[in-house]
Amino acid sequence: MRADLLALTTDALVTLANRGLVKRATRDLDDIPPVTSAEDGTVEAVFADGTRVVLPPGQGLDSASCTCGAPGVCRHRVGAVLAYQRDHAAAPAAEPATEVPAGWPGSVTDEDLKAQFGARTLTAARRVVSGGLTARVRRQAMTVETPSATVRFLVPGELGFVDCDARAEARDVLVVVAVWAFRQADAQAPADPDVTVELARSSDRPAAVAMASFAAAAGELLRTGVVSADEVLVATLRREQAACERANLRWPAAALAELVEQLTAYGTRSARHEPARVAELIAELHARHHSGARAPARVLGTDEPAETPLRQVRLVALGCRVGHEDGNDTAEIFLAHPGTETVLAVRHRWTPGTGSIGSRRLAGTTLAALAAGNVVSEAAVRSAGRVVRFGAGRLARTTVSPVGESWAGLPSPLRPSVTEALAQLTGLPPRVVRPRVAAELVRVVPVAEVRQVRYLAGAQRLNAIVADPGGAEATVSLAHRTAAPGALDALAEALAAEPVEVCGAIRRAGGGLVVEPFAVRTADGVVVPDLAAATGAVPPADGPVQPGRPAAAIEGALTLLAEAAHRGLTRLPPTFPARATPVAAALTRTGLTRCAEAVRAWGAAPADPTAWLRAEIRLLTANELH
């Protein structure tokens, strides 16, 4: 008996092929004569038109032979599986089946992997994990998510039937890595259904040198200040960025690149410069340097450096955010990948042109269609930072259809209740050491009722209190931006049309959940506020609401520390440190005593970078919880 073929469900066959092939093979099933089975388990099916399919044991459908000449998995291969299942539907239940090894696939040995994929594949997999790699293992779904692709074991005990969204050239290597990840999860937390593991990184002296060097450069900027940063310091930061890229320190390299952009913006007097963001980047670089040795893959981003071409990917659009940078129109489109329970992002920019930004072309369609559609592509490439691009010259292999009700079918981690979303935020490490991935906290939140809508004229912000089906409340909050002049109007209209779900970036504020919306689904379809025209639908102003006391106190303290970094710790005026006293007092009054102590400690030693960093990192972490 071929237990592997009998275990293939319709969903598994759709994953290995596509729904169209499975439907056609099902329709043609009556025309397929009974299949034959050899003693070694080889299954052979001969179709009425003479097409012959051979399914050898221990191998997947892509390794089966078919005389039709079609590349990859064809309808004949799928039909042969269905015919085998048809012929053995009445097999006795007591008939022996292949026994699944305990703890599979973590119990698979390297010798088994070598026999299945070859020695070269194992060598390539060792090169991948030698740089450090973080993987999420979900036992119930038999899935491993790596930074660049996802591997799903479809048939227990069979390495031949594995789904991987990477293309064939990377598939076998990723399957080996996935087995090692399961093995590590079994050793680390054998009873945990959802485990994040870090596969070992070999000793890497260049990486250690790069870590110490970029921390020193960030410290020099903190001491001298942004106002005194000259071309020599900017060039030094660029060199540190290049060194981090060579050492595969992805997240520090990204932080250094953003820091260079901020310094360049300050030098050109661009509005993109934000002193608070510069202070946060300096703190982030020091935090990653301090914590990198403990968890290099997660803190430093030492995962696979190359982009991964995806074999075939099905994505569900979750709206977009548009902007305007350096004279160009920009857009970031958010796409849910249901199979991996992640959200990916597509980023693009255009030179200014006529017409609405929603009419701009991308991936063979318009931005408006892509931001509210279902995407099926064989020309997608995914980076470790969860950014997707569609390959040039292969746009015909990317199709977009209306999103319909696809949001309702998203897995629960991407469609949490308000309570579940707050729990997701609570379990996160501080942002200064989290992976720098796109769309990290984009979620779809179900809406059962809109309880209040208010427009705050002073802040040019629309706030709405919504409740999920369980009655838990969240705040949908969107501020006006010149790049999206009709966003507030479109959001107000969508909230008045009995919304079903709202998608956006979630965060915690005032102890509750806040959603910055990218799209809203109503009974009439999906509304993308950033792409809508102004209609004047915003309700009358209801007066500004003062921020909560903890949030206001934290903001005041972060502003003070950002100004100190802007001036330079060694170049502060003599009266500047005294400003720490009232700021610390405000923190104490709100109950943030540890933050207040850190600010006072820095005020007593204003030139000490360590005291400044402790205060900045503590405040940034507290800000995520308030």
Side-chain angles (χ1 to χ4, degrees):
M1 284 288 284
R2 287 286 300 272
D4 55 341
L5 299 182
L6 296 178
L8 284 171
T9 64
T10 300
D11 288 341
L13 288 172
V14 169
T15 300
L16 293 171
N18 60 59
R19 194 166 299 278
L21 286 179
V22 175
K23 286 183 177 179
R24 183 173 181 184
T26 302
R27 288 197 305 267
D28 297 342
L29 186 58
D30 293 338
D31 298 330
I32 304 176
V35 300
T36 60
S37 300
E39 292 184 2
D40 64 352
T42 299
V43 171
E44 181 177 342
V46 179
F47 290 72
D49 61 359
T51 302
R52 179 172 174 268
V53 175
V54 177
L55 302 173
Q59 299 184 29
L61 293 185
D62 52 350
S63 300
S65 65
C66 180
T67 58
C68 75
V73 179
C74 62
R75 65 182 178 89
H76 299 104
R77 293 175 173 89
V78 175
V81 174
L82 295 175
Y84 184 85
Q85 293 177 346
R86 176 202 62 194
D87 295 347
H88 294 79
E95 191 167 343
T98 303
E99 183 179 351
V100 179
W104 192 88
S107 60
V108 176
T109 67
D110 283 359
E111 287 300 319
D112 296 333
L113 293 173
K114 183 178 179 181
Q116 181 78 21
F117 302 111
R120 286 189 177 182
T121 300
L122 265 69
T123 301
R126 291 189 184 98
R127 284 198 299 267
V128 169
V129 301
S130 67
L133 184 142
T134 299
R136 179 187 177 193
V137 177
R138 292 185 286 127
R139 286 194 172 91
Q140 187 173 3
M142 299 291 287
T143 297
V144 175
E145 181 190 343
T146 70
S148 56
T150 299
V151 178
R152 183 153 64 104
F153 298 91
L154 299 175
V155 179
E158 292 291 338
L159 289 175
F161 294 98
V162 179
D163 174 52
C164 179
D165 52 14
R167 293 185 193 157
E169 56 267 29
R171 174 189 176 277
D172 290 352
V173 171
L174 289 169
V175 172
V176 172
V177 171
V179 169
W180 290 344
F182 259 101
R183 193 183 299 170
Q184 178 74 11
D186 292 342
Q188 178 177 314
D192 196 335
D194 194 330
V195 189
T196 298
V197 299
E198 185 159 331
L199 299 181
R201 176 183 176 85
S202 60
S203 176
D204 193 342
R205 181 170 175 77
V209 172
M211 288 170 61
S213 186
F214 76 67
E220 180 63 19
L221 176 62
L222 178 59
R223 285 187 292 270
T224 59
V226 175
V227 295
S228 302
D230 54 14
E231 294 181 359
V232 174
L233 181 55
V234 174
T236 299
L237 292 172
R238 285 199 176 99
R239 286 197 300 272
E240 296 303 331
Q241 175 193 348
C244 287
E245 290 173 348
R246 289 193 298 270
N248 197 25
L249 307 181
R250 182 175 294 277
W251 310 144
L256 286 164
E258 189 176 350
L259 189 57
V260 169
E261 291 177 358
Q262 284 289 323
L263 295 180
T264 303
Y266 176 74
T268 58
R269 299 184 179 182
S270 169
R272 292 187 294 109
H273 174 71
E274 301 177 23
R277 184 57 183 157
V278 172
E280 184 175 348
L281 289 169
I282 293 173
E284 177 185 344
L285 287 167
H286 279 273
R288 293 190 186 280
H289 170 249
H290 180 71
S291 306
R294 302 173 188 175
R298 277 176 281 181
V299 175
L300 301 176
T302 55
D303 300 285
E304 295 180 67
E307 295 179 318
T308 302
L310 302 180
R311 174 178 57 87
Q312 185 182 69
V313 63
R314 298 174 179 84
L315 306 172
V316 179
L318 302 178
C320 74
R321 175 65 75 238
V322 302
H324 193 76
E325 294 181 6
D326 299 327
N328 294 316
D329 295 326
T330 64
E332 184 173 24
I333 305 99
F334 305 101
L335 303 167
H337 192 186
T340 63
E341 299 182 358
T342 58
V343 179
L344 311 175
V346 176
R347 293 168 177 166
H348 202 74
R349 62 174 55 213
W350 302 266
T351 56
T354 59
S356 65
I357 187 154
S359 63
R360 301 297 177 86
R361 305 292 296 180
L362 173 64
T365 186
T366 63
L367 174 59
L370 186 63
N374 284 314
V375 181
V376 177
S377 178
E378 295 180 355
V381 179
R382 171 183 166 176
S383 75
R386 295 185 187 171
V387 175
V388 172
R389 62 180 177 84
F390 298 105
R394 306 179 67 180
L395 301 183
R397 301 179 67 182
T398 299
T399 60
V400 179
S401 59
V403 73
E405 298 185 358
S406 296
W407 286 12
L410 292 175
S412 57
L414 297 183
R415 193 176 179 268
S417 66
V418 171
T419 302
E420 292 168 341
L422 287 171
Q424 290 181 8
L425 293 171
T426 301
L428 291 174
R431 189 172 69 173
V432 290
V433 292
R434 288 207 300 268
R436 277 178 155 256
V437 297
E440 176 190 23
L441 295 174
V442 176
R443 298 290 185 270
V444 175
V445 179
V447 176
E449 180 185 1
V450 178
R451 295 182 174 174
Q452 183 187 73
V453 179
R454 303 179 68 188
Y455 175 61
L456 312 179
Q460 291 188 294
R461 179 176 290 275
L462 187 69
N463 282 351
I465 305 298
V466 302
D468 66 11
E473 292 186 342
T475 301
V476 178
S477 182
L478 183 64
H480 172 74
R481 291 170 298 111
T482 56
L488 296 189
D489 293 339
L491 178 60
E493 291 176 341
L495 292 172
E498 299 183 357
V500 178
E501 294 158 312
V502 59
C503 173
I506 62 172
R507 58 184 173 86
R508 184 191 294 273
L513 182 71
V514 177
V515 182
E516 179 187 348
F518 301 141
V520 180
R521 188 169 78 88
T522 69
D524 296 327
V526 173
V527 177
V528 182
D530 274 25
L531 303 182
T535 62
V538 174
D542 200 7
V545 176
Q546 296 297 326
R549 293 177 62 194
I554 293 172
E555 182 180 354
L558 288 172
T559 300
L560 176 66
L561 293 176
E563 185 178 348
H566 188 75
R567 293 170 177 260
L569 299 187
T570 60
R571 304 183 182 188
L572 296 176
T575 58
F576 192 92
R579 295 169 55 184
T581 301
V583 168
L587 290 168
T588 301
R589 287 193 297 271
T590 61
L592 300 172
T593 56
R594 299 292 296 275
C595 291
E597 291 170 2
V599 172
R600 287 194 189 95
W602 168 74
D608 182 6
T610 302
W612 183 94
L613 287 165
R614 286 174 178 166
E616 176 76 8
I617 292 173
R618 185 172 290 278
L619 286 164
L620 289 172
T621 304
N623 194 40
E624 294 182 49
L625 302 176
H626 294 83

